[in-house]
Structures are given as C-alpha cells and as structure tokens.
Amino acid sequence: MRLFGRGFFGTPSLVLRIALLSLITTFAAPAFAADDNYLPASGDSKSLFKQAEKFVRDGRYPEAERVYRRVLELDPDNSLAKLRLAYSLSKMRRLIDAYDLSFAVAQAEPDNAYALSVLGATMLTAGRLEAARQII
C-alpha cells in the first residue's frame, strides 16, 4: 500500500483519506459557527443567557461567546454575563480577554466571590500561581 497518491487498485491512500477528512472537519466547523440560526428569535436577554449556558455545558464555547456578547449588547451592566463570557474565553485559551473582563468586574464589585474565582482561575490557567494565590 502506498502512502501518497493512489494505493492498491486505484483507491486513495490512507494519508490522502486522513488529509481529506481533516480538511472537511476544519472547514465545516466555522461554517456552523458563523450561522446565527441557533440564537433564540425573541432576543430577550434571559432566553439568550439560558442558551449561552447550554452552550457552555455542551463545551461549545465559541457559540457561547457569541451569545454572551449579544446579552451584553442588550444589558451592558450584567456582571454575571461578563463573568460567564470570561470563563468561556479562558476555556478557549483567550486568557488576556478573560483577564480583562473578570478583572473589571472584580474591581467594580470587590465582594463578588464569583468574579474573584474566575479571575483566579484565569491566572492559574495562565500559569501565574503566585498572582492567583493572592487573588483567591
């Protein structure tokens, strides 16, 4: 069996099959992520927030990010949505954005334990153990 080109009896080789499968999965996912059909039609911030929470539970963080951002467009002072967005961003390894959001909420609401928790978890994910220890 040949690794490249045509294999035995003219069938595509294993490497070619794997490369094609990789291309299909790479380009199929962004096409779904760009689709707004998964957003609730009502536009109510509570229903959007619930939809975003479902995405987080399912591990679909890019979709959750888009919905949380929509919630924040409707209600810019929603600190819980900011923190859940920061959590989703940290799961996607966008740590600077997650830090900025969680730090802003923690600074505005110093008694918010969840803000400190998300901020500390972001710092731990970034490998800043001492800074995380001071925050937590």
Side-chain angles (χ1 to χ4, degrees):
M1 181 173 170
R2 294 171 49 189
L3 290 178
F4 297 100
R6 294 277 176 185
F8 191 66
F9 293 118
T11 59
S13 68
L14 180 62
V15 171
L16 187 60
R17 287 181 191 174
I18 292 171
L20 286 173
L21 182 61
S22 173
L23 282 172
I24 290 169
T25 56
T26 301
F27 291 112
F32 172 75
D35 187 13
D36 277 341
N37 291 337
Y38 58 83
L39 293 176
S42 69
D44 176 29
S45 68
K46 282 187 175 185
S47 61
L48 286 171
F49 190 85
K50 286 180 182 180
Q51 184 65 40
E53 290 294 305
K54 282 184 187 177
F55 286 141
V56 169
R57 278 193 305 272
D58 294 341
R60 296 169 55 188
Y61 300 110
E63 290 92 347
E65 175 192 3
R66 292 185 70 188
V67 179
Y68 282 130
R69 289 195 187 277
R70 180 80 64 88
V71 169
L72 289 172
E73 286 174 7
L74 297 172
D75 184 11
D77 297 328
N78 189 336
S79 61
L80 183 59
K82 289 178 185 177
L83 293 171
R84 296 301 290 163
L85 174 59
Y87 173 79
S88 298
L89 291 170
S90 71
K91 290 301 229 178
M92 293 187 294
R93 304 298 244 174
R94 293 174 47 196
L95 301 176
I96 294 172
D97 295 333
Y99 175 82
D100 290 342
L101 276 170
S102 58
F103 183 76
V105 174
Q107 198 171 28
E109 303 172 14
D111 294 332
N112 189 334
Y114 186 60
L116 296 175
S117 172
V118 172
L119 182 60
T122 302
M123 297 300 287
L124 280 173
T125 304
R128 308 271 321 259
L129 267 40
E130 284 303 315
R133 186 175 293 146
Q134 290 175 357
I135 291 169
I136 295 174

